[in-house]
Amino acid sequence: MMEDVPEREARSFETSDGDNIFVTQRDGAFYAYQNLCPHLQVELEYLENQFLDREQEYIECSTHGALFLVETGECISGPCQGQSLEKVDITVHSDGGIYLTEE
Ligand code: FES
């Protein structure tokens, strides 16, 4: 369903359920979250696929600059500090495609 998410970049996707999610790669592992800031429940990005901060170290909300850990989605700075992005379970198949994990 999805592929082509380079290291330290992110891509947004719409799931078949109509959910807005994004996937990012860090140190060879992929992480996916709902595209929803826990602060005001708005989408995180301002420009298409811009989910990371300038150093591409953290996930950043473009509205008030909250920073989230890539690996856990935990907010470590900003108005929603201590809250977390909602993680989405994904599976990487041997063909390189990234798929939502079926329940
Ligand atoms: S809406 Fe994301 S930090 Fe305020």
Side-chain angles (χ1 to χ4, degrees):
M1 164 185 144
M2 336 154 170
E3 42 200 317
D4 260 15
V5 182
E7 178 75 23
R8 289 191 179 243
E9 288 190 34
R11 295 283 181 271
S12 62
F13 298 94
E14 191 172 332
T15 70
S16 48
D17 297 338
D19 278 353
N20 218 322
I21 71 167
F22 67 96
V23 179
T24 185
Q25 185 183 169
R26 174 63 50 91
D27 298 331
F30 292 91
Y31 302 92
Y33 297 97
Q34 299 281 355
N35 184 5
L36 218 51
C37 181
H39 181 214
L40 293 182
Q41 310 293 318
V42 295
E43 293 184 355
L44 295 161
E45 86 279 33
Y46 171 62
L47 293 170
E48 195 180 356
N49 295 320
Q50 293 289 316
F51 290 94
L52 303 180
D53 69 348
R54 207 144 29 107
E55 287 76 38
Q56 295 177 294
E57 185 63 32
Y58 300 108
I59 297 161
E60 182 178 50
C61 176
S62 60
T63 304
H64 305 111
L67 298 176
F68 304 87
L69 295 177
V70 166
E71 292 86 352
T72 64
E74 185 192 344
C75 179
I76 51 147
S77 160
C80 46
Q81 190 164 349
Q83 296 180 265
S84 289
L85 298 172
E86 194 178 328
K87 202 163 190 138
V88 177
D89 287 329
I90 52 173
T91 307
V92 182
H93 286 207
S94 49
D95 62 4
I98 303 168
Y99 300 84
L100 294 180
T101 305
E102 302 290 342
E103 293 293 314

